[in-house]
Amino acid sequence: MINFNEIEEKWEKKWKEDKLYKFNPESKKEKLYCLEMFSYPSGAKLHMGHWYNYGVTDTWARFKKMDGYNVFHPMGFDAFGLPAENYAIKTGIHPAISTDKNIETMEKQLSRIGGSWDWDYEIKTCKEDYYKWTQWMFLKLYEKGLAYKKEAPVNFCPSCNTVLANEQVISGNCERCGSTVIRKNMSQWFFKITDYAEELLNDLDKLDWPDRTKNLQRNWIGKSVGAYVDFKVDGTDEKFTVFTTRCDTLFGATYCVLAPELPLVDKITTSLQKEEVNKYKEQASKQSDIERTSTTKEKTGVFTGAYAINPVNNKKIPIWISDYVLATYGTGAIMAVPAHDERDYEFAKKFNLEIIPVLEGGDLSKEAFVGDGLHINSDFLNGLNKEDALNKMNAYLEEKGFGKKTTTYKLRDWLVSRQRYWGAPIPIIYCEDCGVVPVPEKDLPVKLPMDVEFAPDGESPLKKCDSFMNCTCPKCGKKAKREADTLDTFVCSSWYYLRYPDAHNDKEPFNKDLINKILPVDKYVGGIEHACMHLLYARFFTKALRDMGYLNFDEPFLSLVHQGTILGPDGEKMSKSKGNTVAPDPLVEKYGADVLRGYLMFGFNYIDGGPWTDDGIISINKFYHKIERLTNAIKESDERITEIDKVLHNSLKSIREDIEKFQFNTSMARIMEYTNILSKYEQSGIPRYYIEKLLLILAPFAPHIAEELWQSIGNKYSIHNESYPIYEEKYLIEEEKKIAVQVNGKVRATITINVNDSEDVVKEKALVQENVKKFTEGKEIVKIIVIKGKIVNIVVK
RNA sequence: GCCUGAGUGGCGAAAUUGGUAGACGCACAGGACUUAAAAUCCUGGGAGGUUCACCCCUCGUGUCGGUUCAAGUCCGACCUUAGGCACCA
């Protein structure tokens, strides 16, 4: 019996030496870019998730290569980021050193998977030759007005001591460490992803992505169509704009509410109310986001003393402030229609504000009526339904200049600066005379200094590094200071797929012609947790670069697959604290990489994942050893066996279809069916032809074992340069077929039909069945449905 | 509350998209080989009923209805569960 583990290392070495997986960009074959999300080089060993993602996707890539595609399949590391820095703070080991070491370990471990990556295209985002171009990206976005700095209330993680993007705040907590995020006013760099909100939303329709993921993005972008309506502040020149999705209820607006942070609040607050307003403002600013947005919290608010004029009826309505209105959404101001909005109703009830119904229906003494109803108390809208009223009001507002139709999004601009060390420095210089000056392209990269004190204290560690901070202004030559913040690592990963095909280009981030040939990525595989982060950011980058003329495609990832999660044997998510982790390494040592890959493919629905079982992996070990035995039963003979041919070609057809769908469990099942039929002939010997087919079929699934056995039957190295077997239709045609005969939808018999049987013959065959007769006798046959080659259903009364 | 998925044997799962539910495998049971075990091979199997046995019958894909000659698949309502969003105006 072969020791799988031993032969695997032998072949991996040889494949590497021979550069078996060398990508040839000049190839005339159709290109296919297969990409797994690259990983962070942590100190820990590869976990089951890595194997599940990389091992299984590799089978797909190998299949495509054997099937005639010019497969581009690179690998690299997302090497900047907090863990290395935190590790450094703890141990004193510099992130550059620990990261390099981790990468080296991971490279070794990855090669043990037996992946068909071409390592000549490897990327490490923390290296100068990469982050130089990350900085270049920043400059290009800056040039285009898509990168800007502004003072704004931002999410700050007190534990990581840095700001976070909205996407990195998971229900009020830091995505990385789980600490409660607080709000801080800080001057920060943003990317204007909101400029692309509409396109990011619309282009989802073009993508072969899971619906789940598309919905997450749609939800996150949060488009909502409504109108801006301008309100004048009574007795002043001030005015403000509210956003509403129901401008048709404008006649029911009985008060307005401003977010407490709005600058306008101070301008309009009457002296009588000043004290109360200030007190409320202070209170509100102290609250965390979770406290503030809790739906269970009772409404609070304060009257400003000022009144607004409702433009449609010139009614004076009071202006309040309340924290239930968010400064960051819409305009930070609303018109309140308490009769038809639950929140406004609650607020109005508490503070005794007027409630005017403008829609028919409901019982306002109990609650707000939020359903649909015909308009009342609404002048020219009376009697209209929602749709008509909206149209009419929109037209009216526009005509009178009171407001206009508009669209808002929940998506906010992407905050990219971080007050941490281990990241790409932002290529910006501050000059007293010239202001904000971008670093000229020729001066890139702005090197990350190595000798830095990086204990985080809420300010960038780079700030304390004089040799870094002090520079001369590129414009006027005077002394100047550098930007001390670094870029979020999500910026690095937003364009890495563009760098791979041209990873060693030192003149530009990529050659335009080359990447337009190899991109977009045809198959992208990774976890769903990146749905509203990496996957959204990368789409934004692609679109922005397209608009700058660098790319001729709109979307980076045409087809996306998420692997599921392999859970611990207890059905819980694997975690060290629960002690339910299953490490790949010991299993690889015991059974080999192919067996582990095989079980990961066979034992789960790839997209669902599921709990690990040891029994499962044993069964694949048995299966591969069975293939080994069958290979030993090889017989030099040209004999063809019809029974085997049928199974072979049927299996081949299914295997192809299933691999296409990332259904490796069923494709493995078909291989098993084929081996089952072969094993019937084990004693008498199996003709070479069938053994070769078996190994070729197996090659993408168990690349090492297939290579070894291929050689053992005297074939030429390497099996991975062979073509994947193709099925022939003629073997799929069944001359005879067993089909079911139903009476009133219940199966009562099966009959064997011939392909050439006419419908009448089939009916005849069905009706003469004993058991069919039993159920039809004495009854009237209403009709007989014959579905060709599938079923007969006799309807009786 | 809103938006997505998911729910099928003891277990992992499959089902040509409306056409014999449970492919393939695990575990299990019986048998063969063996002094014995391991390994391997063969047979069996959704539940219940009937039968010496084969046949056959009833029920069966979370629940309740509906459409259809025919429903795991389509429609409606609901339950459970996972994930996302949530005072978004």
Side-chain angles (χ1 to χ4, degrees):
Chain A
M1 252 187 4
I2 296 175
N3 178 327
F4 292 150
N5 202 22
E6 264 169 32
I7 61 122
E8 283 174 354
E9 298 199 40
K10 174 182 79 183
W11 288 115
E12 277 160 21
K13 200 166 155 245
K14 182 152 175 60
W15 292 338
K16 196 177 165 191
E17 281 166 10
D18 300 347
K19 289 196 185 274
L20 187 65
Y21 305 113
K22 180 97 204 97
F23 176 65
N24 172 16
E26 306 302 327
S27 167
K28 294 278 178 289
K29 292 176 183 172
E30 193 181 337
K31 76 93 184 176
L32 193 142
Y33 190 167
C34 173
L35 186 65
E36 298 99 335
M37 287 181 187
F38 66 172
S39 53
Y40 181 81
S42 77
K45 297 192 164 177
L46 291 193
H47 53 70
M48 206 54 90
H50 288 119
W51 277 79
Y52 198 44
N53 184 348
Y54 298 154
V56 179
T57 305
D58 181 62
T59 292
W60 189 85
R62 284 175 176 278
F63 166 75
K64 286 294 179 184
K65 180 172 176 266
M66 286 180 81
D67 206 30
Y69 288 90
N70 186 32
V71 175
F72 182 52
H73 192 205
M75 181 52 82
F77 295 95
D78 190 11
F80 270 139
L82 273 182
E85 194 173 336
N86 290 338
Y87 183 71
I89 292 161
K90 220 164 71 186
T91 63
I93 298 169
H94 197 280
I97 293 167
S98 63
T99 303
D100 273 356
K101 201 178 137 231
N102 289 346
I103 287 178
E104 208 180 303
T105 317
M106 271 183 100
E107 283 167 347
K108 272 190 209 136
Q109 296 205 314
L110 282 167
S111 74
R112 199 58 197 78
I113 292 179
S116 57
W117 300 294
D118 185 345
W119 286 96
D120 286 351
Y121 292 85
E122 184 181 14
I123 283 174
K124 300 168 188 172
T125 60
C126 66
K127 298 291 175 186
E128 271 171 46
D129 65 352
Y130 184 85
Y131 75 68
K132 172 180 180 177
W133 303 113
T134 304
Q135 293 173 337
W136 181 92
M137 294 285 159
F138 180 94
L139 293 176
K140 288 293 153 187
L141 291 169
Y142 183 78
E143 244 170 58
K144 273 275 161 187
L146 290 170
Y148 65 94
K149 195 175 195 189
K150 77 166 177 196
E151 166 104 13
V154 295
N155 305 302
F156 187 87
C157 172
S159 158
C160 297
N161 262 302
T162 183
V163 296
L164 300 171
N166 278 316
E167 289 79 10
Q168 289 168 308
V169 181
I170 312 296
S171 50
N173 298 322
C174 172
E175 173 237 354
R176 184 157 289 286
C177 71
S179 315
T180 302
V181 168
I182 58 171
R183 229 158 232 288
K184 251 192 179 180
N185 258 316
M186 290 175 82
S187 181
Q188 294 291 306
W189 285 96
F190 292 85
F191 285 164
K192 224 170 181 178
I193 192 171
T194 52
D195 269 16
Y196 288 89
E198 186 67 21
E199 200 194 333
L200 288 168
L201 181 68
N202 289 336
D203 281 358
L204 285 172
D205 296 336
K206 296 201 266 191
L207 298 174
D208 173 29
W209 283 23
D211 284 336
R212 209 164 33 131
T213 315
K214 292 193 201 180
N215 274 316
L216 289 179
Q217 287 208 357
R218 284 192 190 108
N219 219 323
W220 188 256
I221 294 167
K223 179 178 178 174
S224 123
V225 178
Y228 286 140
V229 182
D230 297 328
F231 284 75
K232 282 185 185 138
V233 180
D234 189 41
T236 73
D237 290 335
E238 301 290 346
K239 60 174 197 172
F240 62 95
T241 305
V242 305
F243 173 70
T244 174
T245 54
R246 292 301 299 270
C247 66
D248 59 311
T249 62
L250 194 46
F251 286 97
T254 54
Y255 63 101
C256 283
V257 187
L258 307 180
E261 300 93 326
L262 237 53
L264 180 74
V265 174
D266 289 335
K267 292 186 197 160
I268 62 168
T269 302
T270 59
S271 48
L272 202 65
Q273 295 298 105
K274 199 119 224 159
E275 197 181 329
E276 215 183 330
V277 164
N278 284 341
K279 218 170 94 190
Y280 186 81
K281 275 174 64 178
E282 207 194 314
Q283 246 174 34
S285 70
K286 276 189 196 149
Q287 281 179 26
S288 77
D289 253 30
I290 330 167
E291 281 166 351
R292 180 167 169 169
T293 56
S294 158
T295 43
T296 51
K297 201 188 83 175
E298 204 183 323
K299 295 275 178 295
T300 58
V302 175
F303 178 43
T304 61
Y307 290 84
I309 305 295
N310 185 338
V312 290
N313 56 13
N314 286 318
K315 252 181 90 169
K316 263 174 75 172
I317 57 177
I319 304 173
W320 285 63
I321 62 169
S322 171
D323 60 7
Y324 86 91
V325 173
L326 307 173
T328 46
Y329 183 74
T331 59
I334 62 155
M335 63 177 210
V337 184
H340 307 295
D341 181 283
E342 283 172 26
R343 297 152 299 176
D344 298 347
Y345 181 88
E346 200 190 318
F347 193 82
K349 276 284 176 192
K350 177 160 178 191
F351 295 106
N352 262 321
L353 296 160
E354 195 180 5
I355 299 173
I356 302 175
V358 288
L359 300 171
E360 233 169 25
D363 177 359
L364 291 179
S365 63
K366 288 199 197 92
E367 56 184 3
F369 172 65
V370 293
D372 277 343
L374 297 182
H375 285 67
I376 51 172
N377 300 329
S378 294
D379 197 337
F380 57 90
L381 298 181
N382 285 340
L384 295 182
N385 64 24
K386 178 176 164 182
E387 198 192 335
D388 293 342
L390 273 170
N391 287 334
K392 201 160 178 185
M393 182 58 96
N394 269 317
Y396 177 83
L397 292 171
E398 202 108 3
E399 184 199 320
K400 296 278 182 183
F402 294 155
K404 64 170 189 224
K405 218 176 145 172
T406 191
T407 304
T408 63
Y409 303 88
K410 285 195 236 174
L411 182 71
R412 311 287 154 73
D413 278 342
W414 172 18
L415 200 171
V416 293
S417 42
R418 296 289 179 273
Q419 291 71 51
R420 296 297 301 241
Y421 165 70
W422 191 232
I426 296 174
I428 288 288
I429 287 166
Y430 300 102
C431 168
E432 269 183 30
D433 292 347
C434 310
V436 177
V437 183
V439 173
E441 199 182 318
K442 66 172 174 50
D443 293 343
L444 294 182
V446 175
K447 287 191 192 175
L448 185 68
M450 287 296 116
D451 51 338
V452 173
E453 177 57 53
F454 35 69
D457 57 6
E459 287 216 317
S460 174
L462 291 179
K463 224 172 203 171
K464 293 168 228 155
C465 181
D466 290 343
S467 60
F468 174 81
M469 290 302 288
N470 295 323
C471 61
T472 52
C473 172
K475 264 193 192 164
C476 69
K478 273 200 195 159
K479 280 187 178 175
K481 294 273 185 198
R482 287 193 190 279
E483 167 66 62
D485 286 357
T486 54
L487 288 167
D488 179 9
T489 51
F490 277 113
V491 177
C492 310
S493 58
S494 289
W495 73 282
Y496 78 109
Y497 50 92
L498 300 172
R499 178 67 177 173
Y500 272 133
D502 207 5
H504 305 298
N505 192 334
D506 56 4
K507 306 269 182 315
E508 48 191 353
F510 44 72
N511 175 281
K512 221 169 108 175
D513 296 334
L514 180 66
I515 62 160
N516 279 319
K517 206 172 101 186
I518 296 174
L519 274 281
V521 173
D522 296 282
K523 187 65 83 178
Y524 197 34
V525 185
I528 193 169
E529 65 274 15
H530 290 110
C532 295
M533 294 192 264
H534 164 61
L535 287 168
L536 192 63
Y537 298 148
R539 294 182 63 215
F540 159 65
F541 257 67
T542 298
K543 289 174 190 301
L545 287 167
R546 173 206 61 197
D547 288 346
M548 294 174 206
Y550 293 105
L551 308 177
N552 63 8
F553 50 92
D554 303 318
E555 287 286 341
F557 316 121
L558 296 182
S559 177
L560 173 71
V561 175
H562 299 301
Q563 79 275 20
T565 313
I566 305 297
L567 306 171
D570 56 357
E572 298 288 321
K573 218 171 181 162
M574 285 191 197
S575 82
K576 278 188 195 132
S577 59
K578 282 193 205 119
N580 63 347
T581 52
V582 179
D585 285 21
L587 295 163
V588 172
E589 229 167 87
K590 192 166 174 191
Y591 303 106
D594 280 351
V595 170
L596 177 54
R597 287 173 58 150
Y599 172 54
L600 290 173
M601 285 187 273
F602 181 67
F604 308 86
N605 173 318
Y606 190 61
I607 290 151
D608 294 342
W612 175 270
T613 68
D614 285 329
D615 287 342
I617 192 165
I618 291 167
S619 75
I620 300 298
N621 189 45
K622 281 187 194 171
F623 173 56
Y624 284 167
H625 279 298
K626 182 173 173 180
I627 289 180
E628 185 193 346
R629 277 200 313 279
L630 292 176
T631 305
N632 292 335
I634 191 168
K635 175 168 83 175
E636 300 299 337
S637 149
D638 293 335
E639 191 190 350
R640 288 288 181 280
I641 301 159
T642 317
E643 185 187 28
I644 300 182
D645 282 330
K646 271 192 180 173
V647 177
L648 170 61
H649 289 273
N650 271 301
S651 298
L652 276 175
K653 183 167 190 277
S654 303
I655 289 167
R656 284 174 170 275
E657 289 167 355
D658 292 350
I659 290 179
E660 210 58 66
K661 290 183 281 185
F662 263 68
Q663 263 186 228
F664 300 98
N665 53 348
T666 46
S667 29
M668 289 272 286
R670 298 290 95 79
I671 303 178
M672 289 172 179
E673 276 170 340
Y674 180 53
T675 57
N676 285 347
I677 192 82
L678 290 183
S679 68
K680 277 173 76 172
Y681 295 83
E682 192 177 347
Q683 292 305 312
S684 53
I686 303 163
R688 166 168 285 272
Y689 174 85
Y690 294 113
I691 294 296
E692 288 188 351
K693 291 286 182 242
L694 172 63
L695 298 180
L696 289 166
I697 289 171
L698 186 71
F701 293 84
H704 309 86
I705 296 172
E707 186 80 284
E708 175 75 15
L709 297 177
W710 186 248
Q711 183 213 243
S712 79
I713 59 168
N715 281 347
K716 216 174 76 205
Y717 170 86
S718 157
I719 191 170
H720 301 295
N721 287 330
E722 300 289 328
S723 293
Y724 207 79
I726 293 167
Y727 65 88
E728 290 174 53
E729 289 288 345
K730 66 175 175 184
Y731 294 105
L732 304 181
I733 299 161
E734 303 246 27
E735 269 152 41
E736 295 211 314
K737 208 174 171 184
K738 262 171 82 176
I739 65 165
V741 180
Q742 300 181 326
V743 179
N744 282 353
K746 292 198 176 190
V747 180
R748 297 301 178 191
T750 54
I751 54 172
T752 305
I753 54 157
N754 192 286
V755 258
N756 301 318
D757 282 352
S758 69
E759 208 171 298
D760 285 338
V761 174
V762 174
K763 280 183 189 173
E764 190 53 39
K765 280 184 179 172
L767 287 168
V768 298
Q769 293 294 309
E770 272 308 312
N771 206 42
V772 172
K773 275 195 212 152
K774 212 166 96 189
F775 284 90
T776 51
E777 244 158 41
K779 292 185 177 147
E780 183 198 341
I781 293 175
V782 182
K783 59 176 159 176
I784 303 177
I785 291 145
V786 180
I787 307 295
K788 219 180 163 222
K790 283 187 176 162
I791 208 161
V792 178
N793 192 5
I794 301 160
V795 187
V796 296
K797 240 190 340 203

